[in-house]
C-alpha cells in the first residue's frame, strides 16, 4: 500500500508512484531460511514515490519482496503490498501532562506507527489504556473491567469508553497471539492511536490544562473582573482543537 507517513514531512499521506518498477539484482534478494542463497521466488521490487503534501513533494523509495506465485500485473500486486519505506521519520510526540511511564509508552506507540510497525503500535496502545486505569487507582484484573470502572467513576466519557474497548479488542488479538492472515493496516493502527491520544487528553491533559487556566484566572481576579470566575482576558485559548 502506498499509504505511509512521509519520512520527509511527517504527514500521513498516500504516495504517488512516479517511476517504473525496478527489480533488485537477484543476489540481493532475501535468503531462504538459514541458507545464504537468495530465494528465487522472492524478487524484490522498488520504485520512487512522490509525497502529495504541497510543501514537501519529495521522493521516497517504497520496496517489497513479491512472491512469484502471486498472480496479476506486477505493479498492481506491488501497490497492494505493505511496502517498506526510505527515508523513514521516527515520530516521538511528547505527552507533557501524562505520567512519565504512560507518556513514554504512548510516544513509543507513535514511533512504531511511523516506521510502519502497526501491530507494535496497537499492542502498546492497549498497554497505555490499562496503565491509565492503574494510574487512576483502578487495579482489578483484566483490561475490560478496568475500562468499565473508569466509566463508572466518570473518569472517561461513554464515547471514550467505546473507543477504549476498540483499542482493547485490537490490542488483545495481538497480545494474545491471535495474529491471523489479515495484517493490521496502518490506517487501522493510526485510528487506534488517535483513540489512545483522545483518552490521554481526556484523562490527563485536558484536566491539567483547565487547572492551569483556572489558576491563572484566580491570580488575575483581584482588581480585575467582579467575580473572577471567567478568565476571558489574558489569551486563554479554549478553542484549541484536539
Ligand atoms: Zn512529505
Amino acid at each position: 500500500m502506498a499509504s505511509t507517513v512521509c519520512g520527509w514531512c511527517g504527514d500521513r499521506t498516500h504516495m504517488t508512484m512516479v517511476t517504473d518498477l525496478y527489480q533488485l539484482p537477484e543476489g540481493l534478494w532475501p535468503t531462504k531460511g538459514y541458507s545464504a542463497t537468495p530465494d528465487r521466488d522472492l524478487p524484490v521490487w522498488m520504485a520512487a514515490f512522490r509525497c502529495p503534501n504541497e510543501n514537501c513533494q519529495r521522493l521516497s523509495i517504497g520496496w517489497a519482496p513479491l512472491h512469484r506465485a502471486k498472480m496479476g500485473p506486477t505493479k498492481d500486486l506491488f501497490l497492494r503490498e505493505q511496502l517498506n519505506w526510505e527515508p523513514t521519520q521516527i515520530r516521538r510526540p511528547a505527552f507533557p501532562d501524562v505520567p512519565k511511564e504512560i507518556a513514554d509508552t504512548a510516544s513509543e506507540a507513535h514511533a512504531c506507527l511511523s516506521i510502519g510497525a502497526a501491530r507494535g503500535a496497537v499492542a502498546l496502545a492497549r498497554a497505555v489504556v490499562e496503565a491509565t486505569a492503574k494510574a487512576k487507582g483502578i487495579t482489578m484484573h483484566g483490561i475490560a473491567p478496568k475500562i468499565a470502572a473508569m466509566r463508572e467513576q466518570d473518569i472517561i466519557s461513554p464515547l471514550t469508553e467505546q473507543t477504549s474497548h476498540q483499542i482493547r479488542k485490537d490490542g488483545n488479538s495481538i497480545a494474545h497471539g491471535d495474529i491471523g492472515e489479515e495484517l493490521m493496516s496502518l490506517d487501522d493502527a493510526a485510528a487506534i492511536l488517535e483513540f489512545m491520544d483522545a483518552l490521554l487528553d481526556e484523562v490527563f491533559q485536558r484536566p491539567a490544562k483547565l487547572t492551569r487556566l483556572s489558576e491563572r484566572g484566580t491570580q488575575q481576579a483581584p482588581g480585575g473582573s467582579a467575580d473572577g470566575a471567567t478568565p476571558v482576558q489574558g489569551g486563554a485559548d479554549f478553542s484549541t482543537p484536539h
Side-chain angles (χ1 to χ4, degrees):
M1 263 172 301
S3 291
T4 188
V5 175
C6 173
W8 295 99
C9 67
D11 267 15
R12 267 196 69 71
T13 57
H14 190 80
M15 297 282 193
T16 313
M17 190 166 144
V18 293
T19 58
D20 289 336
L21 278 172
Y22 160 77
Q23 193 187 70
L24 199 66
E26 189 176 316
L28 301 169
W29 297 354
T31 52
K32 212 172 193 171
Y34 293 106
S35 87
T37 31
D39 186 342
R40 299 185 137 220
D41 289 328
L42 271 184
V44 173
W45 294 92
M46 302 180 142
F49 291 79
R50 189 181 57 231
C51 174
N53 175 352
E54 263 184 31
N55 300 315
C56 179
Q57 306 203 42
R58 289 173 173 81
L59 298 186
S60 297
I61 300 297
W63 66 273
L66 209 59
H67 203 281
R68 264 193 214 288
K70 290 194 173 173
M71 302 292 283
T74 311
K75 186 178 171 184
D76 293 356
L77 294 171
F78 180 73
L79 288 174
R80 253 181 270 146
E81 280 294 304
Q82 192 95 53
L83 299 180
N84 303 284
W85 292 95
E86 291 292 337
T88 48
Q89 187 184 62
I90 303 179
R91 283 188 66 233
R92 290 185 186 274
F95 296 88
D97 292 315
V98 174
K100 188 175 183 308
E101 305 76 40
I102 302 176
D104 287 351
T105 308
S107 186
E108 198 168 319
H110 280 278
C112 283
L113 184 69
S114 66
I115 58 160
R119 282 169 296 190
V122 173
L124 289 176
R126 177 194 181 279
V128 165
V129 173
E130 191 152 18
T132 297
K134 285 184 189 165
K136 287 286 161 187
I138 297 167
T139 55
M140 74 263 277
H141 187 69
I143 181 172
K146 284 194 185 81
I147 294 171
M150 281 199 283
R151 174 67 206 117
E152 276 157 26
Q153 297 178 26
D154 220 14
I155 296 167
I156 56 175
S157 69
L159 189 60
T160 306
E161 181 189 21
Q162 251 179 48
T163 54
S164 298
H165 278 299
Q166 192 57 51
I167 301 173
R168 172 183 66 81
K169 282 181 204 153
D170 287 342
N172 276 356
S173 59
I174 294 164
H176 298 155
D178 303 325
I179 303 164
E181 283 288 290
E182 188 88 352
L183 280 175
M184 166 75 51
S185 82
L186 273 181
D187 288 332
D188 288 346
I192 289 290
L193 292 204
E194 274 182 43
F195 293 162
M196 177 191 78
D197 291 354
L199 171 76
L200 294 178
D201 189 54
E202 182 169 336
V203 177
F204 300 111
Q205 296 180 153
R206 206 167 340 143
K209 183 180 177 184
L210 290 174
T211 304
R212 279 195 295 275
L213 287 173
S214 88
E215 279 167 9
R216 194 158 70 172
T218 326
Q219 282 162 13
Q220 284 178 353
S225 61
D227 57 15
T230 46
V232 179
Q233 298 296 317
D237 179 17
F238 290 94
S239 65
T240 309
H242 284 286

